[in-house]
Amino acid sequence: MTTGFLVVDKPAGITSHDVVAVLRAAIRIKKVGHTGTLDPFATGVLPLAIGPSTKLIQFLDESVKVYEGTVRLGQATDTGDPMGEVTEEASVAKLDFKHVQNILNGFCGERMQTPPAYSAIKVRGKPLYKYARAGESVEVPARKIRIDSVELLALRDAELDVRVTCGRGTYVRVLAEEIGVALGTCAHLSSLRRTRSGPFSLEHALTFEQLSLFAAGRDDWPAVLRPERGAPRLKWNEPAEIQKDIQSFMRGPESVLSHLPVLPLSAVDLESLLKRGQVFSVPESMPDGAHWVATSENSIVAVLRRDGPVGRVARMIVRG
């Protein structure tokens, strides 16, 4: 295994970068990158690209994301999640399931949303959360987002369990706060789990317990994968053995780029493709700048891009 995509079920309490660091150490492959950050308190789908597949991240279609979370009513925090300090408390009226669902339906569609102060969006080259931690207020313009549905899964006295289907760039923390206001109180997002990101889902995700078993034969992953400072470090299995164990969780480019049109290549076309600077004919219906995949013997060998009247190689795919 030298290339491909892997979905990790990120546990709570660690960053997305921590997940990348653990996997790099386990399989001894430096080129590992994640396709979308999850907050430390959040869990669920974290897609990772391994080896040369990191160069294919830009071609993925992760325009649909699904989250399940709990909105805690009557209490707001400065971060909009359970990691922050409580900034406001308010009473919560008795709620009716049907009424709440009607309120949630009102958030669907394209709308503007202002990113939270505690986010990784950069202003003047610095993430917003660094300004927030320093007590500096920075004005950030609202951005257009898309929310396809907000489904009420359960209703308790001061908590709502919801499933949100949305486009990329949507902050569910901000949505939770807005839901609180719409219900006549304040709120924060007390838990969040991503169940889908484009073609990636929890169905075939690798858990940290499984990775811990592959690495050292035991499933208490904090002791195996993230030991505390000063704690003894357990002996791990050889990287090649761990790579073999996680192979069944890997997905190839054919699977995750299935949204792109396919152009089968003849032997002559393939030979031309391998020559730098070669161009190819493009279907007239394909818009300028569009991408498609070139295949040989049912395997993707390159991603091509329409550049005016011709097609050019956008990215070759190296097989390992």
Side-chain angles (χ1 to χ4, degrees):
M1 178 198 74
T2 58
T3 189
F5 291 85
L6 174 70
V7 177
V8 170
D9 185 350
K10 188 189 90 65
I14 62 174
T15 68
S16 300
H17 180 73
D18 291 334
V19 174
V20 170
V22 166
L23 195 69
R24 282 175 179 160
I27 63 177
R28 292 293 193 275
I29 294 178
K30 290 184 178 180
K31 286 188 176 181
V32 178
H34 60 79
T35 70
T37 302
L38 278 176
D39 291 329
F41 82 97
T43 67
V45 170
L46 183 66
L48 304 180
I50 299 174
S53 289
T54 54
K55 297 178 180 179
L56 299 178
I57 290 176
Q58 61 183 305
F59 305 114
L60 297 174
D61 179 8
E62 293 184 273
S63 58
V64 176
K65 296 178 183 285
V66 181
Y67 298 90
E68 293 184 1
T70 298
V71 180
R72 176 72 166 83
L73 300 173
Q75 197 175 69
T77 68
D78 56 359
T79 59
D81 60 39
M83 308 296 289
E85 299 292 330
V86 175
T87 58
E88 181 184 357
E89 292 186 307
S91 61
V92 180
K94 186 174 178 59
L95 299 172
D96 172 75
F97 194 99
K98 184 176 180 180
H99 170 69
V100 173
Q101 183 61 71
N102 286 337
I103 293 293
L104 298 181
N105 291 342
F107 289 97
C108 296
E110 289 190 345
R111 54 201 305 272
M112 302 302 289
Q113 185 185 74
T114 302
Y118 285 88
S119 66
I121 291 177
K122 291 186 176 181
V123 175
R124 298 190 294 274
K126 188 165 70 171
L128 280 177
Y129 66 80
K130 290 191 175 181
Y131 291 105
R133 289 172 182 171
E136 300 179 43
S137 179
V138 178
E139 186 174 344
V140 184
R143 304 186 303 176
K144 181 180 289 187
I145 63 166
R146 187 195 79 247
I147 296 179
D148 300 321
S149 65
V150 186
E151 179 184 357
L152 181 60
L153 303 177
L155 172 61
R156 294 179 291 279
D157 288 343
E159 288 185 331
L160 313 176
D161 291 340
V162 298
R163 179 184 294 121
V164 180
T165 302
C166 59
R168 64 189 314 159
T170 302
Y171 283 93
V172 185
R173 281 182 287 153
V174 175
L175 176 62
E177 294 173 329
E178 294 173 332
I179 289 172
V181 172
L183 292 174
T185 184
C186 57
H188 71 273
L189 190 67
S190 62
S191 71
L192 183 66
R193 181 164 178 77
R194 185 159 64 195
T195 60
R196 177 188 169 191
S197 182
F200 306 105
S201 68
L202 285 173
E203 184 179 2
H204 300 295
L206 175 71
T207 67
F208 257 39
E209 288 80 9
Q210 290 169 316
L211 181 57
S212 180
L213 279 171
F214 296 155
R218 43 190 282 187
D219 63 3
D220 53 334
W221 70 262
V224 175
L225 305 177
R226 297 272 298 169
E228 296 180 0
R229 185 181 298 274
R233 293 186 174 271
L234 300 175
K235 179 177 173 57
W236 287 6
N237 294 326
E238 290 297 318
E241 184 177 344
I242 299 174
Q243 289 183 25
K244 183 179 179 181
D245 285 333
I246 69 174
Q247 187 62 48
S248 62
F249 294 89
M250 297 290 294
R251 297 179 62 180
E254 293 80 11
S255 173
V256 301
L257 296 180
S258 60
H259 61 287
L260 295 178
V262 177
L263 175 67
L265 296 179
S266 65
V268 174
D269 288 335
L270 180 59
E271 184 178 352
S272 296
L273 179 70
L274 298 176
K275 296 178 181 178
R276 186 178 298 274
Q278 292 297 309
V279 297
F280 308 88
S281 60
V282 183
E284 292 183 1
S285 60
M286 186 170 292
D288 192 32
H291 292 93
W292 73 101
V293 294
T295 65
S296 176
E297 297 180 352
N298 297 319
S299 293
I300 296 177
V301 293
V303 177
L304 306 180
R305 179 188 69 252
R306 177 165 188 168
D307 187 4
V310 299
R312 301 182 187 276
V313 174
R315 180 66 62 187
M316 292 295 297
I317 297 178
V318 180
R319 295 288 174 169

